[in-house]
């Protein structure tokens, strides 16, 4: 939400953007790390697979895709 983004401390080299996971594009590519926390579980599996593949093309050699999803679904 824009409200959450407005609370992010301003630091050199850090930027924020309001977007959906599906439409987001980094300002510059490649990137060193992509982080997703408690968001991907809301996507259908096939859509998440497509998103992962897209994100991986944005990473530098040795870059990291770090994500967490809750394990509370049956």
């Amino acid at each position: 939400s824009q409200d959450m983004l407005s609370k992010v401390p301003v630091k050199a080299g850090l930027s924020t953007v309001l977007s959906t996971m599906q439409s987001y594009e980094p300002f510059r590519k490649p990137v060193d790390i992509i982080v997703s926390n408690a968001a991907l579980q809301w996507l259908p599996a096939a859509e998440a697979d497509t998103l992962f593949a897209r994100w991986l093309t944005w990473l530098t050699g040795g870059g990291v895709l770090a994500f967490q999803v809750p394990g509370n679904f049956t």
Side-chain angles (χ1 to χ4, degrees):
S1 75
Q2 190 60 51
D3 184 52
M4 291 173 65
L5 292 176
S6 70
K7 292 176 173 66
V8 174
V10 177
K11 297 188 181 210
L14 178 66
S15 60
T16 61
V17 62
L18 182 60
S19 178
T20 66
M21 289 183 286
Q22 298 92 330
S23 65
Y24 174 74
E25 288 277 338
F27 295 116
R28 290 179 292 280
K29 297 177 207 164
V31 297
D32 295 320
I33 187 167
I34 298 169
V35 178
S36 174
N37 183 45
L40 294 167
Q41 73 274 11
W42 302 112
L43 296 178
E47 196 170 334
D49 288 347
T50 300
L51 193 58
F52 282 149
R54 188 166 151 229
W55 285 351
L56 291 173
T57 67
W58 298 345
L59 291 172
T60 59
V64 175
L65 171 57
F67 66 95
Q68 176 275 334
V69 292
N72 60 342
F73 296 103
T74 57

